[in-house]
Amino acid sequence: MANVKIKPIGDRVLVEHIEEKEQVRGGIIIPDSAKEKPQEAKVIALGTGKKGEDGKVTPFEVKVGDRVLISKYGGTEVKLEDKKYTLVREDDILGVIA
């Protein structure tokens, strides 16, 4: 696992985008600026959990190492040591890839 110096808080999850291979459509290479933001990501770190109104912490439904689908425009991008990460709320995770 990656040794990242960011510890999410609350129901936030730190993910690293899984870049698709070079996109080629009809023999034309799509430049980086025209590529869609990848939605597939790997869970790197979990926060402390979401607290309910009763004060109890709800456990995460994902775990470190899971491959997940995240909403296209959700989260906050963070760059650390030349790698791009995104901090998303657990609600922004659409599903786990089996």
Side-chain angles (χ1 to χ4, degrees):
M1 284 301 120
N3 187 13
V4 181
K5 297 173 183 162
I6 299 174
K7 175 72 175 144
I9 296 174
D11 69 335
R12 288 176 179 80
V13 178
L14 183 70
V15 297
E16 181 179 10
H17 287 280
I18 297 172
E19 295 292 332
E20 294 178 16
K21 302 279 188 277
E22 194 71 39
Q23 288 187 347
V24 178
R25 297 235 171 93
I28 299 171
I29 296 175
I30 310 298
D32 287 341
S33 60
K35 288 182 186 176
E36 286 190 9
K37 187 175 171 183
Q39 289 182 269
E40 191 174 324
K42 182 177 176 183
V43 176
I44 302 297
L46 299 173
T48 53
K50 186 175 186 176
K51 285 189 180 178
E53 290 181 22
D54 58 0
K56 290 184 180 177
V57 176
T58 307
F60 284 97
E61 292 184 45
V62 296
K63 61 185 181 302
V64 173
D66 279 353
R67 289 175 58 167
V68 296
L69 287 175
I70 58 173
S71 60
K72 203 176 268 191
Y73 302 106
T76 303
E77 288 190 2
V78 179
K79 191 171 184 181
L80 184 68
E81 297 173 2
D82 295 328
K83 283 194 170 187
K84 286 184 185 175
Y85 300 98
T86 303
L87 279 165
V88 296
R89 292 191 176 274
E90 189 178 30
D91 292 346
D92 288 334
I93 296 175
L94 307 174
V96 178
I97 300 170

